[in-house]
Amino acid sequence: MSPAKFRPFKPTYSLSMGASPPDALGIESCSPNDLILLDRLYPSRISLRKRIIQTQPTEMILHSSPASIPAVAELYTFVLQKYLPVRFPTHFMLSPSGTLFTNTITHDTHPIAPPPHTNPSDPAPALKILATTIEEDLMVLLPDSKGLYSLAAFACCFPSGAAPEKRTGLTLDEIHHAPAPGDRLSASMNRLFTRLRPGLENAVRRFNWSITTDDRLFALSGNHMYSDDEDDEPEDETVDPRNCMLRVERQVLWKLPGSHAAVLTVKTYMYTLAEVKAEGLGEELARGVEGMGEEVGKYKKRCFWGKDVVEYLRS
């Protein structure tokens, strides 16, 4: 199956999430069957994820705080035992005893019970298995005594602009003040996380998009401009739009029924601008780029690629 074609760009870019009305901001219900998606890129993407985990510092890819261990264990068992073998029975199977999980695409086999956490301060072995079984990056968030959600665990092989390790333990408000812009985003996300009921049937999804000047999936830098970057960077820097990509993140949010931890999964899609133009959507994407606004445009480094990309889309 070919990768899905998502085109979430609109003339006005919004960073808000979970405000009212939700449909105006891109929040929509997500079918349980669509929590995790598979397409023909799955084998190459999983191979890339394994390579990234082997070659990059572990703490940049995987992390589990002691408080998140019950939630990570619940997530592991749910994905390997209850979701994948049911949703994709020809690709993921359980042994006759029900104790082993087999990925028929990669031929990996794992125990249904999550690996033991011999040292809670180290990245959880369960997260590594999840990160190399599904293509989606995942983040586990837990509420504090004030009801504010913070990042407690993650398995992230396809970051775009910042390592999740720098955000571990931060609340949504802190995450979206440093370095990303968005007072409204952090507040509306926390409201959404708080009111979301546990259970996969209550999952919701949204899309985030940006333009990148290359096709890197693992990008710890280069895609964003942060508040401490130089303000006088040249705005006339030339880029080749033929190498630029439309990067779309499909974000699904749901709560585990046992621990009630919030889980955010992110599947990243990369499309060439030539592909978007061929669909007759060049003008629509150009208007989306122009409608980002000053704050978001700076964060997404529009000053570097914006002029060349818009001219190309309209050519």
Side-chain angles (χ1 to χ4, degrees), residues 73-309:
E74 182 184 3
L75 178 61
Y76 177 95
T77 301
F78 171 80
V79 171
L80 269 65
Q81 182 179 33
K82 299 179 181 179
Y83 189 83
L84 291 179
V86 175
R87 178 66 182 90
F88 305 103
T90 60
H91 299 309
F92 307 103
M93 299 180 179
L94 297 180
S95 64
S97 63
T99 59
L100 292 177
F101 165 92
T102 298
N103 183 333
T104 64
I105 301 174
T106 64
H107 305 293
D108 294 331
T109 299
H110 305 294
I112 288 302
H117 297 259
T118 56
N119 186 346
S121 65
D122 287 341
L127 284 173
K128 181 177 180 180
I129 293 175
L130 286 170
T132 55
T133 300
I134 62 175
E135 186 184 327
E136 286 80 354
D137 286 333
L138 58 89
M139 301 182 185
V140 177
L141 299 102
L142 300 174
D144 61 16
S145 58
K146 298 180 180 179
L148 299 177
Y149 279 81
S150 61
L151 181 59
F154 63 81
C156 184
C157 295
F158 298 157
S160 179
E165 59 161 330
K166 297 181 180 179
R167 301 180 179 186
T168 304
L170 298 182
T171 65
L172 293 173
D173 183 66
E174 292 168 334
I175 288 173
H176 289 99
H177 275 78
D183 293 351
R184 288 171 291 127
L185 178 60
S186 58
S188 57
M189 283 181 68
N190 213 84
R191 286 195 299 269
L192 176 62
F193 281 33
T194 300
R195 70 170 184 250
L196 191 66
R197 297 193 305 273
L200 191 56
E201 67 277 8
N202 299 311
V204 296
R205 72 174 189 176
R206 73 182 292 268
F207 294 91
N208 183 40
W209 67 272
S210 59
I211 302 293
T212 62
T213 56
D214 54 51
D215 61 356
R216 292 177 302 151
L217 283 165
F218 180 78
L220 292 178
S221 62
N223 289 345
H224 296 143
M225 179 182 292
Y226 302 130
S227 58
D228 56 354
D229 289 341
E230 292 292 334
D231 292 332
D232 57 351
E233 294 286 358
E235 297 189 5
D236 58 350
E237 181 174 309
T238 301
V239 300
D240 188 345
R242 294 170 297 180
N243 295 329
C244 293
M245 308 290 291
L246 169 65
R247 182 176 179 130
V248 176
E249 294 179 350
R250 177 182 179 269
Q251 304 173 352
V252 178
L253 175 67
W254 53 292
K255 278 185 178 178
L256 293 167
S259 63
H260 291 197
V263 177
L264 179 67
T265 60
V266 181
K267 182 174 170 68
T268 301
Y269 294 84
M270 303 288 276
Y271 311 101
T272 65
L273 299 188
E275 180 181 353
V276 176
K277 285 182 62 176
E279 296 169 0
L281 298 176
E283 174 62 28
E284 188 172 344
L285 179 53
R287 284 188 275 123
V289 169
E290 293 173 334
M292 284 182 175
E294 182 177 352
E295 184 182 21
V296 174
K298 179 178 179 181
Y299 173 60
K300 293 183 178 290
K301 300 189 71 172
R302 184 179 57 183
C303 60
F304 289 93
W305 50 259
K307 179 181 177 181
D308 299 292
V309 164

Side-chain angles (χ1 to χ4, degrees), residues 10 14 16-28 188 191 195:
K10 297 180 180 180
S14 174
S16 299
M17 183 178 189
S20 180
D23 57 334
L25 298 173
I27 303 298
E28 57 189 18
S188 57
R191 286 195 299 269
R195 70 170 184 250

Side-chain angles (χ1 to χ4, degrees), residues 36-48:
I36 295 171
L37 300 181
L38 290 185
D39 55 52
R40 60 178 175 80
L41 295 181
Y42 174 84
S44 61
R45 290 283 185 93
I46 293 299
S47 294
L48 175 59

